[in-house]
Amino acid sequence: MSTLPDFHIVIPARYASQRFPQKMLAPLADKPVVQWVYELALKAGAKSVTIATDHQDIEAAAKAFGAEVVMTRADHENGTERLAEVAAVKGWAGDEIVVNVQGDEPLLPISLIHDAVRALADDPESQMATVACPIHREEDIFNPSVVKVVCDAKGRALYFSRATMPWDRDGFAAQKKVIAEDYPALRHVGLYVYRVALLGQYAQMPMSPLEKWEKLEQLRFLHQGIKVQVALTAELPPHGVDTPEDLQALTEKLKAQ
């Protein structure tokens, strides 16, 4: 296994959320969700850990538990734009590596962060990396909410889609929705690692037609010819906090532990 290079972690923490407003500050056991994520990130051995937010309440809460915070613009479309602003504020060099750790992923395995960082560092031609895992359930193959990725011989992403891919032409024609044992399906895990120079270019990249229809931000990079390395992990990481029901389930899980 290659040596883990230096890297930064930025935790985008947006106040407004359509499905679960103010979820970053929602209490999970005895701490806000975003504090769990921050403390997890500290254990990853990053050069720096920064919470990037657009709201004073999150800023105040983060400073109260000792986090470094950067206030970012409120009009960012996504976490990638927020990362780009932080990188510019910090003055990070273009060849430095930064990890986007979502503020609603309190149980994200640190090993996934390390695997993605190594995947990018070991592929000098790629400008970003992400993570994928095998798909074990047939219903996930045909579920548009489960994003699939196919890779080339060097482990780089060829395409991401909500559609079923690759398509088993002969198998599905004979017996639709029955998955062969050697079917090479990979499920995309939304953890992203970037070289800082790419973040600086992102704001100038127009939305691609692929991104428009699939509603997948990573297709903007592929459309521009950006190489995306994919780190493989054996299992899907624990679910994050998207809804109040998710918060309750995680609370019960932590109590049981």
Side-chain angles (χ1 to χ4, degrees):
M1 185 177 291
S2 61
T3 303
L4 190 68
D6 286 341
F7 62 98
H8 302 278
I9 291 178
V10 176
I11 304 169
R14 192 167 64 95
Y15 188 77
S17 174
Q18 290 183 340
R19 286 189 287 180
F20 190 180
Q22 304 175 35
K23 66 180 178 181
M24 297 295 172
L25 298 179
L28 174 59
D30 58 343
K31 294 178 284 192
V33 169
V34 70
Q35 184 175 350
W36 283 91
V37 178
Y38 177 75
E39 291 175 357
L40 176 154
L42 287 179
K43 297 174 184 176
K47 194 174 180 181
S48 70
V49 178
T50 306
I51 293 177
T53 188
D54 59 355
H55 200 279
Q56 292 178 343
D57 286 358
I58 295 179
E59 179 190 33
K63 286 184 175 179
F65 58 75
E68 183 176 353
V69 187
V70 170
M71 286 293 290
T72 56
R73 301 199 322 265
D75 61 347
H76 288 311
E77 291 184 3
N78 49 53
T80 306
E81 291 186 0
R82 211 171 297 281
L83 256 69
E85 183 177 353
V86 172
V89 168
K90 296 285 190 179
W92 291 334
D95 61 349
E96 292 193 77
I97 293 174
V98 56
V99 184
N100 180 347
V101 173
Q102 297 295 335
D104 57 4
E105 297 282 354
L107 299 182
L108 181 72
I110 292 172
S111 59
L112 256 66
I113 297 174
H114 292 172
D115 289 347
V117 168
R118 282 195 183 92
L120 181 58
D122 290 346
D123 183 3
E125 293 184 26
S126 289
Q127 292 177 266
M128 62 181 288
T130 189
V131 180
C133 67
I135 300 178
H136 300 294
R137 303 190 309 172
E138 292 179 8
E139 57 265 36
D140 289 343
I141 297 289
F142 301 93
N143 182 353
S145 296
V146 175
V147 177
K148 276 71 70 174
V149 58
V150 291
C151 303
D152 66 13
K154 295 183 178 180
R156 298 173 186 152
L158 288 169
Y159 192 63
F160 298 88
S161 183
R162 298 182 183 279
T164 303
M165 68 173 197
W167 188 259
D168 182 357
R169 187 196 66 173
D170 297 336
F172 291 162
Q175 200 171 8
K176 194 173 183 181
K177 296 194 175 182
V178 174
I179 308 301
E181 288 186 7
D182 59 345
Y183 182 69
L186 290 175
R187 175 178 186 149
H188 180 228
V189 178
L191 175 70
Y192 294 103
V193 180
Y194 306 90
R195 299 191 196 278
V196 169
L198 177 61
L199 291 174
Q201 301 168 22
Y202 181 77
Q204 282 70 50
M205 293 181 187
M207 178 182 288
S208 75
L210 302 171
E211 178 188 2
K212 174 185 174 182
W213 291 105
E214 293 261 18
K215 299 295 187 288
L216 296 174
E217 175 193 345
Q218 59 270 36
L219 293 176
R220 185 179 308 191
F221 296 105
L222 291 187
H223 187 75
Q224 295 294 328
I226 303 299
K227 293 181 173 63
V228 181
Q229 182 60 241
V230 179
L232 298 180
T233 185
E235 298 292 339
L236 186 69
H239 191 62
V241 180
D242 291 331
T243 65
E245 291 75 19
D246 293 336
L247 183 68
Q248 182 60 34
L250 279 178
T251 299
E252 293 173 1
K253 182 174 182 177
L254 289 170
K255 285 180 179 178
Q257 293 175 348

